[in-house]
Amino acid sequence: MAVIIHNSNLEVYLQRDWSRESLDQLESLLISRGTFEFPSLPNGLFPAAVAEGYTGYGNVWVRDNVHLAHHFHVLGETHCAAGIVRGLTQFLMTQTSKIEQVIAGELTHDDPMNRPHVRFEGGSLTELDEKWSHAQNDALGYYLWIACELLLAREIEFARAEIDLLLLFPALFRHFRFWQDKDSGHWEETRKVSASSIGTAIRGLQSLVKLLADRADLPGMNSVRRASLFPEIEDLISHGMQTLSKTLPWECRSDDPLERRQYDGALLFLIYPLGLLDPNSGQAEKIVSDVRKHLQGEIGIRRYPGDSYWCADYKEKLPEETRTADFSDDLSLRDSLLKPGEEAQWCIFDPIISVIYGQRFLASGQPADRELQIEYFNRSIGQISGAGGEWPEFRCPESYFLSRGIWRPNDVTPLLWTQANLRLAFHQMRQTLDRSEVL
């Protein structure tokens, strides 16, 4: 399949195969042109994007920062990874009273504003006043996962109060009955029982079990307390896995047509980075196959069929204050703007698929997996912005949308999550080069 290249400077690099030399040359070029700049806040957290102020992407999202932290962790940039986890922990410590009141039944979790806030003002570590879809179990699961992973790697240490924060999550997930809780999930929209959210929560709980088992030196954790936690957490994981077994490879099997969804790009994250699904498993193969067949576009990948966010001529159809507003209660207005096939094509997925096929290649040695790794790596490079547009060249957009018949980067350019995923694709390419050269 031909790759659409938006930056003509990159055409020479997009060859059928790669060498260490050509990969290093390309990465050096992108670094020199600012593609991989990550502007952080003084407290170690990162805004979602360097974008137009009206988008609100200058705020901090828990989910985005966890994906950034994971990529820094994988690349050995432990200071940045630890800084993110410390910053997120500082903010979530401000949410403990709210969490405890929800668990105690003193606050209803039906109101998303009563749930732990997963989007906040990063500089001051304070809540934002505007209504938002904070019912996002995936974001909470992501935080639990990355915090436990860094603690396991001893890249960060927690005091007792911070360990106690982690131990609130099992009780909170049980109160939500997360395996059947309708949340707004990765895309912060219609509340439904989503496999991607359930799987992310499971992965966080699994990492917590491993932390409790492997770190005997956790502050405030004696053998009695530790032993009492294992059956509680394992029971939660069991509930979640039972729901997943009945749902995957779908995202949501609800009878309600507004909730029911077969294909969703967020399911890819259960394979990578979370590793809940082995990339060689039947479920993982089906999810990737579904994304390729039903969501893949000529440039990027749709989040799901019928996604109206940044649909064609979005900037002309909606005023600034509405474009990135909270649509979780009612998508009908935005959905009315969409014509089938004109969904935005996102740039966060192709590098993840490249990583997945790279992992498959390392396990199988099959040339077909290597070829697909290269194909999705090349697509990811092709998405980097070129000259002559509204945005600087050599940037990683959130997505491309149709503007008067032309695919252009949307106003969330660059998106730091896209940058992180692209760096992971580079990392995976290096890991597979040795194996491919032997074969």
Side-chain angles (χ1 to χ4, degrees), residues 305-327:
D307 179 15
S308 57
Y309 184 55
W310 283 100
C311 62
D313 299 316
Y314 198 69
K315 294 175 72 169
E316 298 178 23
K317 294 175 179 177
L318 289 175
E320 286 187 356
E321 62 272 15
T322 307
R323 292 174 199 161
T324 57
D326 177 13
F327 282 96

Side-chain angles (χ1 to χ4, degrees), residues 4 101-102 116 121 165 183 186 237 240 276 297-298 310 326 334 367 387 417 424:
I4 293 178
Q101 290 180 69
V102 169
E121 205 291 310
L165 169 67
D183 78 332
H186 284 74
I237 292 171
L276 181 68
E298 59 181 354
W310 283 100
D326 177 13
R334 203 183 73 187
W417 187 358
L424 289 169

Side-chain angles (χ1 to χ4, degrees), residues 230-349:
F230 283 122
E232 174 189 355
I233 301 172
E234 293 288 3
D235 183 61
L236 290 171
I237 292 171
S238 176
H239 278 296
M241 293 299 289
Q242 288 176 41
T243 300
L244 276 191
S245 69
K246 299 173 184 177
T247 307
L248 291 176
W250 286 52
E251 168 73 336
C252 178
R253 292 184 183 266
S254 172
D255 292 332
D256 185 338
L258 295 178
E259 300 174 6
R260 188 176 179 85
R261 184 175 302 165
Q262 186 167 1
Y263 313 115
D264 196 306
L267 293 170
L268 291 170
F269 305 133
L270 301 185
I271 309 169
Y272 191 85
L274 290 168
L276 181 68
L277 301 176
D278 185 287
N280 293 288
S281 68
Q283 288 284 24
E285 288 185 22
K286 176 62 174 169
I287 288 168
V288 174
S289 174
D290 284 345
V291 169
R292 295 180 65 209
K293 182 177 180 180
H294 299 283
L295 301 180
Q296 182 170 314
E298 59 181 354
I299 296 171
I301 291 172
R302 303 170 181 89
R303 297 190 300 182
Y304 58 88
D307 179 15
S308 57
Y309 184 55
W310 283 100
C311 62
D313 299 316
Y314 198 69
K315 294 175 72 169
E316 298 178 23
K317 294 175 179 177
L318 289 175
E320 286 187 356
E321 62 272 15
T322 307
R323 292 174 199 161
T324 57
D326 177 13
F327 282 96
S328 58
D329 290 335
D330 186 0
L331 279 172
S332 60
L333 170 63
R334 203 183 73 187
D335 286 350
S336 69
L337 308 176
L338 175 70
K339 294 179 181 179
E342 294 186 348
E343 298 95 334
Q345 298 184 27
W346 283 56
C347 304
I348 60 175
F349 300 116

Side-chain angles (χ1 to χ4, degrees), residues 9 15 19 43 78 83 183 202 223 260 299 385 394 436-437:
N9 296 284
Q15 47 201 293
S19 67
N43 56 21
T78 56
D183 78 332
I202 291 172
S223 58
R260 188 176 179 85
I299 296 171
S385 64
F394 291 97
S436 62
E437 289 170 0

Side-chain angles (χ1 to χ4, degrees), residues 100-117:
E100 290 168 347
Q101 290 180 69
V102 169
I103 293 171
E106 298 168 3
L107 284 176
T108 174
H109 67 272
D110 292 335
D111 182 351
M113 297 299 287
N114 288 339
R115 298 200 184 203
H117 284 206

